[in-house]
Amino acid sequence: FFGKYHDCYVSFLSEGVTHQKAIIIEIWALISAALAIAAFISWMMLNIHILALFLITVMYNLKPFVLKDKTFGSLIANTLMGTFAFAFGWYAVEQSFFLFIEKSLPYIFFNTSLYFLTTIPDAEGDKHAHKKTICVVYGVRSTIYWAFGFEIIAVILAGIMMDWLILIPSALTLPFYVKLLMSNNVSSSILTIK
C-alpha cells in the first residue's frame, strides 16, 4: 500500500482503498461512541456534543444552512467550533458557565484568528466555487488585519488571565503574524497557520 501511494495525495474513496458504505458505518460508529462517552461524563457534556454535532455536520455543510459558503456564517460557525472544542475539555472537569465564558475568550480569539488565515490559501478555489468566505468578499489584506487583530486580543487576554496554556502558543506565533502583516502573501499565511 505505502509503496503504491508513497509520494502522492490519495483520496481513499476515489482510489478504491475503501468504500462509501464503510465510511458511513465508521462515521456512525464514531458519532455513537462519542455521544455515549459524553453521556457517561455528564448530561451537560452530552448536550454540548449534540449541539456541536448539529453545528459542525448539519448547519456547516447541509442545505438550507451551508454556513461554510457564507461570509459571516462561516466566521460564526468556526468561532463556535473553537468554543465547542474548549467546552469539551472545560465541562469534563468544571461546571461554571460564567467562568467558562471568561476563560474561553483567549482560546476563541486565537482559534478565530487562525480561521481567518485558513480562508486566504483557499480564496481562489472558493471564488470559483461561489463561496463567499471572508477572504473572497473582503480580500487578503483585510483578512490579514482581522487575523492580526484577533491574535493581539488573544495574547492580551491570555496575559491578563495568566493562562500559560494559551499565552505561550499565541505569543510564540505573534512574530509570524507580524511577518504576515508586512509581507501580505499567501505563503506567509500558510506558514503562520502551521
Side-chain angles (χ1 to χ4, degrees), residues 60 67-68 70-76 78-79 110-120 132-135 143 147 177 193:
Y60 194 69
L67 295 178
K68 67 180 181 177
K70 298 180 170 96
T71 308
F72 293 103
S74 62
L75 171 62
I76 292 166
N78 277 276
T79 299
F110 184 64
N111 178 74
T112 305
S113 72
L114 291 172
Y115 158 71
F116 283 122
L117 297 184
T118 64
T119 67
I120 295 172
K132 297 185 185 309
T133 64
I134 294 287
C135 191
T143 304
Y177 277 89
I193 294 165

Coordinates of all heavy atoms in Angstrom, one line a residue, residues 60 67-68 70-76 78-79 110-120 132-135 143 147 177 193:
Y60 N -23.2 23.5 9.1 CA -22.0 24.0 8.4 C -22.0 23.4 7.0 O -21.5 24.1 6.1 CB -20.7 23.5 9.1 CG -19.4 24.1 8.7 CD1 -19.2 25.4 8.9 CD2 -18.5 23.4 8.0 CE1 -18.0 26.1 8.5 CE2 -17.3 24.0 7.5 CZ -17.1 25.3 7.8 OH -15.9 25.9 7.4
L67 N -23.4 27.0 6.1 CA -22.7 28.1 6.7 C -21.3 28.2 6.1 O -20.7 29.3 6.1 CB -22.6 28.0 8.2 CG -24.0 28.1 8.9 CD1 -23.8 27.9 10.4 CD2 -24.7 29.4 8.6
K68 N -20.7 27.1 5.7 CA -19.3 27.2 5.2 C -19.1 28.1 3.9 O -18.1 28.5 3.6 CB -18.8 25.8 4.9 CG -19.5 25.1 3.7 CD -18.9 23.7 3.5 CE -19.7 23.1 2.3 NZ -19.1 21.8 2.0
K70 N -20.9 30.9 3.4 CA -21.4 32.3 3.7 C -20.4 33.1 4.5 O -19.7 32.5 5.4 CB -22.8 32.2 4.4 CG -23.8 31.5 3.6 CD -25.1 31.5 4.4 CE -26.3 31.0 3.5 NZ -26.5 29.6 3.5
T71 N -20.3 34.3 4.2 CA -19.2 35.2 4.8 C -19.3 35.1 6.3 O -18.3 34.7 7.0 CB -19.4 36.6 4.3 OG1 -19.5 36.6 2.9 CG2 -18.2 37.5 4.8
F72 N -20.4 35.6 6.9 CA -20.4 35.6 8.4 C -20.9 34.3 9.0 O -20.6 34.0 10.1 CB -21.2 36.8 8.8 CG -20.6 38.1 8.5 CD1 -21.0 38.9 7.4 CD2 -19.5 38.5 9.2 CE1 -20.4 40.1 7.1 CE2 -18.8 39.7 8.9 CZ -19.3 40.5 7.8
G73 N -21.6 33.5 8.2 CA -22.0 32.2 8.6 C -20.7 31.3 8.9 O -20.7 30.6 9.9
S74 N -19.8 31.3 8.0 CA -18.5 30.5 8.2 C -17.7 31.1 9.4 O -17.1 30.3 10.1 CB -17.7 30.5 6.9 OG -17.3 31.8 6.6
L75 N -17.7 32.4 9.5 CA -17.0 33.0 10.6 C -17.6 32.6 12.0 O -16.9 32.1 12.9 CB -17.0 34.6 10.5 CG -16.5 35.3 11.7 CD1 -15.0 35.0 12.0 CD2 -16.7 36.8 11.5
I76 N -18.9 32.7 12.1 CA -19.6 32.4 13.3 C -19.5 30.9 13.6 O -19.2 30.5 14.7 CB -21.1 32.8 13.2 CG1 -21.2 34.3 13.3 CG2 -21.9 32.2 14.4 CD1 -22.6 34.8 12.9
N78 N -17.1 28.8 12.6 CA -15.7 28.4 13.0 C -15.4 28.9 14.4 O -14.7 28.3 15.2 CB -14.7 28.9 12.0 CG -14.6 28.0 10.8 OD1 -13.8 27.0 10.9 ND2 -15.3 28.2 9.8
T79 N -15.9 30.1 14.8 CA -15.7 30.6 16.1 C -16.4 29.7 17.1 O -15.9 29.3 18.2 CB -16.3 32.0 16.2 OG1 -15.6 32.9 15.3 CG2 -16.2 32.6 17.7
F110 N -7.9 33.3 19.6 CA -6.8 32.7 18.9 C -7.2 31.8 17.8 O -6.7 31.8 16.6 CB -5.9 31.9 19.9 CG -4.6 31.4 19.3 CD1 -3.7 32.2 18.8 CD2 -4.4 30.0 19.3 CE1 -2.5 31.6 18.2 CE2 -3.3 29.5 18.8 CZ -2.3 30.3 18.2
N111 N -8.2 30.9 18.1 CA -8.8 30.0 17.1 C -9.4 30.7 15.9 O -9.2 30.4 14.7 CB -9.8 29.1 17.8 CG -10.5 28.2 16.8 OD1 -9.9 27.2 16.3 ND2 -11.7 28.4 16.4
T112 N -10.1 31.8 16.2 CA -10.7 32.6 15.1 C -9.7 33.3 14.3 O -9.9 33.4 13.1 CB -11.8 33.6 15.7 OG1 -12.7 32.8 16.5 CG2 -12.5 34.3 14.6
S113 N -8.6 33.8 14.9 CA -7.6 34.4 14.1 C -7.0 33.4 13.1 O -6.7 33.8 11.9 CB -6.4 35.0 15.0 OG -5.7 34.0 15.5
L114 N -6.8 32.2 13.5 CA -6.3 31.1 12.6 C -7.4 30.8 11.5 O -7.0 30.6 10.4 CB -6.0 29.9 13.4 CG -4.7 30.0 14.3 CD1 -4.6 28.7 15.1 CD2 -3.5 30.2 13.5
Y115 N -8.6 30.9 11.9 CA -9.7 30.6 10.9 C -9.6 31.7 9.8 O -9.7 31.3 8.6 CB -11.1 30.7 11.5 CG -12.1 31.0 10.5 CD1 -12.4 30.0 9.5 CD2 -12.7 32.2 10.4 CE1 -13.3 30.3 8.5 CE2 -13.6 32.5 9.4 CZ -13.9 31.6 8.4 OH -14.8 31.9 7.4
F116 N -9.4 32.9 10.1 CA -9.3 34.0 9.1 C -8.2 33.6 8.1 O -8.3 33.7 6.9 CB -8.9 35.3 9.7 CG -10.1 36.0 10.4 CD1 -10.1 36.4 11.7 CD2 -11.2 36.4 9.7 CE1 -11.1 37.0 12.3 CE2 -12.3 37.0 10.2 CZ -12.2 37.4 11.6
L117 N -7.1 33.1 8.7 CA -5.9 32.8 7.8 C -6.2 31.6 6.9 O -5.7 31.6 5.8 CB -4.7 32.5 8.6 CG -4.2 33.7 9.5 CD1 -2.9 33.4 10.2 CD2 -4.0 35.0 8.6
T118 N -7.0 30.7 7.4 CA -7.3 29.5 6.5 C -8.1 29.9 5.3 O -8.1 29.1 4.3 CB -8.0 28.4 7.3 OG1 -9.3 28.9 7.7 CG2 -7.2 27.9 8.5
T119 N -8.8 31.0 5.3 CA -9.5 31.4 4.1 C -8.7 32.0 3.0 O -9.1 32.1 1.9 CB -10.6 32.4 4.5 OG1 -10.0 33.7 4.9 CG2 -11.5 31.9 5.6
I120 N -7.4 32.4 3.4 CA -6.5 33.0 2.4 C -6.1 32.0 1.3 O -6.2 32.3 0.1 CB -5.4 33.8 3.1 CG1 -5.9 34.9 3.9 CG2 -4.3 34.2 2.1 CD1 -4.9 35.6 4.8
K132 N -18.6 32.5 -0.4 CA -18.4 33.9 0.0 C -17.7 33.9 1.3 O -18.3 34.4 2.3 CB -19.7 34.7 0.0 CG -20.4 34.8 -1.3 CD -21.7 35.6 -1.2 CE -22.5 35.7 -2.5 NZ -21.8 36.0 -3.7
T133 N -16.5 33.5 1.4 CA -15.7 33.5 2.6 C -15.2 34.9 2.9 O -15.3 35.8 2.0 CB -14.5 32.5 2.5 OG1 -13.6 33.0 1.5 CG2 -14.9 31.1 2.2
I134 N -14.7 35.1 4.1 CA -14.2 36.4 4.5 C -13.1 36.9 3.4 O -13.2 38.1 3.0 CB -13.5 36.3 5.9 CG1 -14.6 36.0 6.9 CG2 -12.7 37.6 6.2 CD1 -15.5 37.2 7.3
C135 N -12.2 36.1 3.0 CA -11.2 36.5 2.1 C -11.7 36.8 0.7 O -11.3 37.7 0.1 CB -10.1 35.4 2.1 SG -8.6 36.0 1.2
T143 N -8.4 40.5 5.5 CA -8.4 39.2 6.2 C -7.2 39.2 7.1 O -7.3 38.7 8.3 CB -8.4 38.0 5.2 OG1 -9.6 38.2 4.4 CG2 -8.5 36.7 6.0
A147 N -7.2 38.9 11.2 CA -6.5 37.8 11.9 C -5.5 38.4 12.9 O -5.4 37.9 14.0 CB -5.7 37.0 10.8
Y177 N 2.7 36.4 12.7 CA 1.6 37.4 12.4 C 2.2 38.7 11.9 O 1.7 39.3 11.0 CB 0.6 37.6 13.5 CG -0.4 36.5 13.6 CD1 -0.2 35.4 14.4 CD2 -1.7 36.6 13.0 CE1 -1.2 34.4 14.5 CE2 -2.6 35.7 13.1 CZ -2.4 34.5 13.9 OH -3.4 33.6 14.0
I193 N -0.2 29.7 9.9 CA -1.2 28.6 10.3 C -0.4 27.4 10.8 O -0.8 26.9 11.9 CB -2.1 28.2 9.1 CG1 -3.0 29.4 8.7 CG2 -2.9 27.0 9.5 CD1 -3.6 29.2 7.3

